[in-house]
Amino acid sequence: MGITRRLFTGIAAAIGMTAMVAGAPGMAAAEWSPKKPVEFIIMAGTGGGADQIARLLQGLIEKKKLSPRPFIPINKPGGSGAEALRYLKDKAGDDHTVLVTLNSFYTTPIIQKDLGVDISTFTPIGRMALDTFLLWVNSDRKEISNLESYVKAVKETGGTWKVGGTGSGQEDSILTAMMEKEFGYKVTYIPFPGGGTVAKNLVGNHIDSTVNNPAEQNEFMRAGETKPLVQFTPERMAAYPDVPTAKELGHDIVYFMQRSINGPPGMSKEAQDWYINLFKTLFDSEEWQTFCKEDGLTCDEWVAGDALATFHTEQARRHKELIEAVGAAAITGE
Amino acid sequence: METILVALAGGLVEAFQPLNLMMILLGCTVGLFVGAMPGLGSVNGVAILLPITFLVPPTAAIIFLAAVYYGAMYGGAISSITLGIPGASTAVATVFDGRPLATSGRADKALTAAAIASFIGGTISVVLFTLFAPPLADFALKFGPAEEFALMVLAFATFIGLGGDDIPKTIFSILVGLVLATIGLDIISGKPRMVFFDIPGFLRGINFLVLAIGIYGIGEMLWTLEKTGGNVIVHKVKMTWAGFVENVKSVKEYIKTTTLGSVLGYFVGTLPAAGATPASLMAYGLAKTFSKDPDSFGKGNVSGVAAPEAANNAASTGSMLPMITLGIPGSPTTAILLGGMIIWGLRPGPLLFTEKPDFVWGLIGSLYVANVFTVLINLAFIPIFVRVLTLPFTILAPIIFVLCIVGGYAPTQTMHDVWLMLLFGIMGYLMRKLNYPVAPAVLAIVLGPLAERSLRQSLLASQGDPLVFLERPISAICIALAVALMLYPVINGMLKRRRAAQAE
């Protein structure tokens, strides 16, 4: 049995290798390349994590001269990414549009059924990173120093605690709903047009807390204006050695966000291969890996093409469960 | 104070480095043309030129892009005035009076006013930037949703309170704009709203520039066609040195509104999410409200050109403040600049001022230099721009039509927007024929989404209690000013009547 399995794995690996050689990116690239500027759609507002990533990638593409035509970042933040998803759907068959995703890629089609978007029809290109979440409060809140005092403070407000986020159905609203369920409190969720604006409103004390990504909050942490209380990762990240994980504290809340690149439905195989090759080069670049390290992103494993499609299917399933568990109403605030 | 001057001197020295100086000159010139082309605003210009900046050091790069941004603010006025098509969304308010001035043969005066007002706006704002950057960054932080909404109310009030216009018609026009602004996806829940006939194009909402180009470009063209009955008219434009001096001297006609517009533009610019377009519209509204002769606005008052032009330049400087200190872009263009900064390895945020003083002060220094350059370049080009108007209307009309279509298509690259633009053109023509003011509708579609978002955020935060707008000091002041502005024409009218009665 052991031998057969090993043999089978070996064959599978060999087939995989052949397939990789056959579809060698270099060859594909020679056949297809963009004929006009590529629309680089961001399904969130300016200044947020997805936006920063898209702009960095665009810059690297230009700097390294990886594309004969420029990539133009376009923000389509409307309706928790619904605008962007719908836009991509309507671009079916187009080889000059790619989308940088957040997890609203999974949740928005589940929550907004009448949108008519099926993400499994999109063309998977590559997963650039997994982003993480932390719980942040303004540093002025001296009375809140850890998760326990945070939960106590939220409960005392009796539902008027203001959590800022980037939109109903976005990952931070899911995480907020997960926390409400876990700790048995209610909060008032207020959507803003991007993580950057959320951070500004936290510093200005217009909201009480947020579960922003590190990239959106780090500069304010360095300036001593906001502080992290908990991280929602399986283990402590190297960037935050002193911040406990929710898991350590006995609360099973682990949540990631994927940052992947996807094309519209029916993108040609040649174009898909070209984009996979392009983003693989970017993923491996020193600049990208440095950015990941500084921003608390996990960028160890390159997942592309069909493997990414499998990952998407699995994540979409998990999000459906999560939404069913906490209730779509808890996320959309209805 | 002394430390600021030392830092500024360092910044100016940085700006006068040969490479940086060249970047400013190049950026201003490119920006001027980018801004003047309908549909190719500073956003697209900066986005397209961003890659070029990888060839030079970060400071030179941001100086170049800031100069493009700056130049585009000047340039937007050119097509607004000469062709009646707003070159960029920031120059829409310039059309209101710029176009009537041009058709009455005073295009040179309008263009000179635009250039000089831009210069004044730019200078005032960069001085404010230099002196008060850190306290203003703190002030911007005090602006939460409630304050933002109060500011929007104030902006609407400047338009309702316009003396002279038929107030019910003005309100109707604002409401039309507000209804159009709600089309698309709901800001809070993400549900589609008012998607007519299930046309997917409406999910994106109505692009403001499509409305503006339609109403002003196409609508104005139809109106002119009707008025002239297709007769060939040629505007005589004489450009003499004496005329130029005369135009420059006429600065005293609009210096007050320009200063007001500059300060207002700078403050609005520093607030994240607002930017130069609302600033220019608000400045126009204020200029008209406080004018001795409000009836002449919209018919060719030079202050109506100067105020928005001063404000949009001031706001473009102002919007760099939240970009540098908070890492939040104050306008779509600064969003792209911000992206550039991240690529160059600069982390915008509260520490940038102290950690990268060379960069920040180099940028500030370059703004002073860019301002001088752009006004000189712009004034030098005016005789050429004015020549456009010497073309007979039969030749000019098709050119305007083509430019409108390009301008409508360029931002989103969909035919949906081109059809919409034509529709708005016909609507604009009819509104004009029926004597409805269209400027308030344009204002409403710009500010509507901002106002809606901040209103709903505030009410969510206050658990539905509207008193939140009066409890917070900054927002209460804005609301009080708004009420005063709305009542101003009424009281003014009453006073006039009483005086008239006394005279009898």
Side-chain angles (χ1 to χ4, degrees):
Chain A
M1 187 66 197
I3 296 169
T4 11
R5 181 178 286 171
R6 211 177 299 152
L7 187 68
F8 182 75
T9 325
I11 291 169
I15 292 171
M17 295 267 275
T18 330
M20 269 170 70
V21 174
M27 284 164 63
E31 287 160 16
W32 190 91
S33 64
K35 313 277 181 299
K36 57 176 189 178
V38 177
E39 287 185 27
F40 204 8
I41 311 293
I42 304 149
M43 55 191 300
T46 49
D51 186 57
Q52 291 185 15
I53 285 174
R55 293 184 193 283
L56 174 67
L57 288 174
Q58 178 229 3
L60 290 176
I61 291 169
E62 300 292 346
K63 193 176 174 186
K64 294 171 180 286
K65 298 191 174 58
L66 296 176
S67 169
R69 294 284 182 277
F71 277 57
I72 314 278
I74 301 171
N75 295 82
K76 293 200 180 288
S80 298
E83 186 191 0
L85 289 172
R86 185 62 199 246
Y87 183 77
L88 201 67
K89 186 193 171 209
D90 295 338
K91 281 269 182 173
D94 186 284
D95 285 347
H96 293 88
T97 308
V98 292
L99 172 79
V100 188
T101 65
L102 293 71
N103 281 2
S104 46
F105 184 63
Y106 309 124
T107 55
T108 300
I110 297 173
I111 294 168
Q112 299 181 36
K113 289 191 182 66
D114 45 358
L115 194 64
V117 168
D118 178 7
I119 57 152
S120 66
T121 59
F122 290 160
T123 309
I125 293 169
R127 190 182 80 195
M128 299 304 291
L130 289 172
D131 207 345
T132 55
F133 293 89
L134 289 94
L135 173 65
W136 304 88
V137 292
N138 193 304
S139 303
D140 297 344
R141 300 265 183 169
K142 300 278 181 257
E143 78 282 9
I144 300 174
S145 55
N146 53 26
L147 184 62
E148 200 188 334
S149 48
Y150 172 80
V151 172
K152 188 165 158 270
V154 178
K155 281 188 174 162
E156 274 168 9
T157 62
T160 60
W161 185 269
K162 295 178 287 249
V163 177
T166 55
S168 309
Q170 302 280 35
E171 27 309 287
D172 60 74
S173 73
I174 296 173
L175 192 48
T176 303
M178 283 162 83
M179 287 173 72
E180 280 184 326
K181 191 165 184 273
E182 176 76 23
F183 301 117
Y185 59 60
K186 279 264 164 252
V187 296
T188 303
Y189 181 80
I190 303 171
F192 288 90
T197 318
V198 175
K200 179 226 149 193
N201 278 282
L202 183 65
V203 174
N205 271 323
H206 303 293
I207 53 171
D208 298 313
S209 69
T210 178
V211 283
N212 254 351
N213 302 124
E216 294 153 352
Q217 215 70 46
N218 270 351
E219 283 304 299
F220 295 104
M221 183 183 77
R222 286 211 302 133
E225 283 165 344
T226 60
K227 58 184 178 187
L229 298 175
V230 188
Q231 39 188 332
F232 300 101
T233 44
E235 278 150 36
R236 290 188 189 195
M237 288 183 278
Y240 310 94
D242 303 326
V243 183
T245 66
K247 230 176 171 172
E248 283 173 41
L249 302 171
H251 301 284
D252 188 19
I253 308 178
V254 174
Y255 194 64
F256 276 114
M257 160 153 66
Q258 47 83 36
R259 305 285 195 189
S260 70
I261 315 286
N262 299 272
M267 179 185 258
S268 72
K269 182 83 183 79
E270 295 77 28
Q272 186 192 8
D273 286 341
W274 187 85
Y275 286 114
I276 290 179
N277 179 44
L278 169 79
F279 285 102
K280 172 87 169 75
T281 315
L282 289 169
F283 181 82
D284 290 334
S285 71
E286 199 191 320
E287 290 93 336
W288 179 252
Q289 291 295 332
T290 314
F291 176 79
C292 286
K293 213 168 285 160
E294 279 177 6
D295 275 27
L297 297 171
T298 315
C299 304
D300 305 330
E301 193 191 352
W302 171 246
V303 179
D306 291 345
L308 180 61
T310 316
F311 175 80
H312 282 333
T313 315
E314 166 59 22
Q315 284 288 313
R317 191 187 58 75
R318 234 197 103 208
H319 276 92
K320 207 165 177 191
E321 283 174 14
L322 273 175
I323 290 170
E324 273 162 14
V326 298
I331 295 166
T332 55
E334 281 167 1
Chain B
M1 188 70 205
E2 219 164 272
T3 47
I4 290 177
L5 286 180
V6 170
L8 179 65
L12 284 172
V13 169
E14 182 75 28
F16 274 106
Q17 301 281 334
L19 174 69
N20 293 344
L21 210 55
M22 207 181 80
M23 284 290 154
I24 294 172
L25 192 60
L26 198 67
C28 291
T29 318
V30 170
L32 206 60
F33 286 94
V34 163
M37 267 304 287
L40 194 70
S42 60
V43 183
N44 315 59
V46 171
I48 294 165
L49 294 166
L50 184 63
I52 298 176
T53 60
F54 297 122
L55 307 171
V56 292
T59 308
I62 186 117
I63 285 176
F64 174 69
L65 292 180
V68 172
Y69 185 21
Y70 218 73
M73 289 294 152
Y74 276 77
I78 296 164
S79 52
S80 290
I81 293 169
T82 55
L83 300 174
I85 318 170
S89 61
T90 49
V92 170
T94 314
V95 184
F96 301 166
D97 278 279
R99 181 62 183 161
L101 276 171
T103 47
S104 60
R106 286 178 291 161
D108 55 329
K109 188 176 181 183
L111 285 168
T112 315
I116 292 175
S118 295
F119 174 72
I120 296 172
T123 310
I124 290 180
S125 63
V126 76
V127 170
L128 287 174
F129 195 129
T130 313
L131 297 178
F132 304 115
L136 273 171
D138 285 344
F139 183 73
L141 278 177
K142 290 214 172 68
F143 257 74
E147 286 77 11
E148 269 168 39
F149 179 70
L151 186 74
M152 293 302 138
V153 173
L154 185 57
F156 281 118
T158 59
F159 266 67
I160 299 179
L162 299 177
D165 276 337
D166 189 337
I167 290 183
K169 278 185 174 175
T170 307
I171 293 175
F172 176 80
S173 176
I174 287 186
L175 292 178
V176 168
L178 284 178
V179 169
L180 290 175
T182 58
I183 293 174
L185 295 163
D186 181 280
I187 303 165
I188 305 284
S189 72
K191 299 253 158 46
R193 289 192 303 204
M194 316 245 293
V195 180
F196 299 113
F197 313 111
D198 268 333
I199 299 171
F202 283 117
L203 277 176
R204 243 179 300 120
I206 308 271
N207 185 328
F208 154 66
L209 207 54
V210 168
L211 178 86
I213 294 181
I215 287 183
Y216 288 102
I218 306 277
E220 174 79 21
M221 201 175 72
L222 292 173
W223 177 252
T224 316
L225 273 179
E226 183 190 285
K227 229 173 31 183
T228 61
N231 283 341
V232 179
I233 22 162
V234 180
H235 295 288
K236 294 241 167 15
V237 183
K238 268 186 295 185
M239 279 299 285
T240 57
W241 181 249
F244 172 73
V245 172
E246 192 58 35
N247 282 334
V248 174
K249 273 190 184 157
S250 71
V251 71
K252 55 182 180 295
E253 282 177 38
Y254 50 81
I255 183 75
K256 252 167 72 191
T257 44
T258 305
T259 316
L260 187 67
S262 309
V263 177
L264 173 84
Y266 180 72
F267 279 106
V268 174
T270 56
L271 303 173
T277 308
S280 62
L281 287 163
M282 286 170 77
Y284 181 84
L286 273 186
K288 187 168 176 182
T289 310
F290 289 115
S291 167
K292 285 197 191 77
D293 184 15
D295 290 344
S296 66
F297 274 76
K299 299 184 185 96
N301 188 320
V302 97
S303 297
V305 173
E309 277 305 308
N312 72 25
N313 268 63
S316 66
T317 311
S319 63
M320 293 197 195
L321 186 74
M323 171 183 86
I324 290 174
T325 57
L326 300 172
I328 306 168
S331 69
T333 313
T334 42
I336 296 167
L337 287 180
L338 191 67
M341 288 168 71
I342 295 170
I343 298 160
W344 305 318
L346 292 161
R347 284 303 172 91
L351 300 179
L352 193 72
F353 248 99
T354 40
E355 286 179 357
K356 300 267 186 209
D358 293 357
F359 172 81
V360 176
W361 287 105
L363 173 63
I364 295 175
S366 81
L367 290 176
Y368 281 92
V369 184
N371 222 347
V372 177
F373 275 17
T374 328
V375 74
L376 292 179
I377 296 170
N378 208 338
L379 289 175
F381 275 123
I382 287 177
I384 300 170
F385 293 133
V386 165
R387 292 210 74 85
V388 171
L389 284 164
T390 61
L391 290 170
F393 188 69
T394 39
I395 294 178
L396 204 52
I399 296 177
I400 292 177
F401 188 67
V402 169
L403 284 175
C404 285
I405 293 201
V406 171
Y409 182 78
T412 51
Q413 299 178 6
T414 52
M415 278 311 284
H416 172 80
D417 281 352
V418 177
W419 297 123
L420 262 186
M421 184 196 71
L422 293 174
L423 202 67
F424 286 137
I426 295 166
M427 197 180 94
Y429 163 73
L430 289 176
M431 280 177 88
R432 232 190 125 156
K433 216 168 148 57
L434 299 173
N435 217 2
Y436 277 89
V438 283
V442 172
L443 176 92
I445 203 168
V446 175
L447 300 184
L450 294 172
E452 187 200 346
R453 184 192 297 279
S454 51
L455 172 66
R456 291 175 66 182
Q457 283 169 340
S458 314
L459 290 178
L460 273 175
S462 71
Q463 312 294 324
D465 180 6
L467 282 177
V468 65
F469 300 112
L470 301 177
E471 282 160 2
R472 303 177 64 111
I474 299 175
S475 105
I477 292 170
C478 287
I479 300 265
L481 283 175
V483 172
L485 271 180
M486 274 188 246
L487 294 177
Y488 178 78
V490 180
I491 295 167
N492 209 19
M494 284 199 319
L495 284 177
K496 258 188 208 156
R497 243 171 284 146
R498 182 181 289 178
R499 240 177 270 137
Q502 275 171 351
E504 279 169 23

